[in-house]
Amino acid sequence: MVGNVLIYLGVVVTPTLLFAAVSAVPRVVAAIRARRARAPAPTHPPVERIAEDLRRVRRTLVTFEPGTPLVRRRATTAAYDALLDQACRSVGVVHHLDDFGEGFERDIERLRTEQALREAGLVLG
């Protein structure tokens, strides 16, 4: 008699357990995929690297000798301005470097942008 009860329970319980297991498979697979999903890769370099590049290029600008060719000065200044733009976008600082051509106004805006980056916590040297 006990054997018959065990067989009856097996026939009744087994399909229920199988259905519960099969219906849980999509949730388990989704959980595994979510766990394995990688965070999206950043599209810009880390702000530490940008700050390091800014310090390096700034050091180069400051140490130019009087006989340095004008093309080299302008290229280095353009590279420095591009790095300032990247740094501003990374930390959320507004700049107006693109509003001015080469000259006194752009130099003043460059200084203002450097100060704003310092106030945002970037160490420029």
Side-chain angles (χ1 to χ4, degrees):
M1 174 128 173
V2 173
N4 290 338
V5 171
L6 289 177
I7 292 172
Y8 177 74
L9 284 176
V11 168
V12 171
V13 173
T14 302
T16 306
L17 291 177
L18 282 174
F19 179 76
V22 169
S23 65
V25 168
R27 287 186 306 220
V28 172
V29 169
I32 290 172
R33 284 186 181 165
R35 190 175 277 176
R36 285 187 180 178
R38 295 182 184 185
T43 58
H44 53 82
V47 73
E48 294 85 6
R49 192 171 117 208
I50 295 172
E52 183 180 321
D53 290 344
L54 271 170
R55 287 189 292 270
R56 181 179 44 81
V57 174
R58 186 170 193 272
R59 199 174 321 117
T60 302
L61 277 172
V62 171
T63 59
F64 273 148
E65 296 294 324
T68 304
L70 183 61
V71 172
R72 181 174 291 159
R73 287 180 190 267
R74 285 192 177 167
T76 307
T77 304
Y80 187 69
D81 289 348
L83 286 169
L84 283 174
D85 179 54
Q86 276 186 337
C88 287
R89 280 188 276 126
S90 292
V91 297
V93 172
V94 177
H95 72 85
H96 301 285
L97 287 170
D98 300 331
D99 296 346
F100 304 106
E102 288 297 322
F104 184 71
E105 290 89 8
R106 188 173 182 117
D107 292 340
I108 296 299
E109 179 59 23
R110 192 176 294 119
L111 291 173
R112 190 203 64 77
T113 302
E114 288 173 350
Q115 184 59 35
L117 287 171
R118 283 187 190 97
E119 289 172 1
L122 218 63
V123 178
L124 299 178

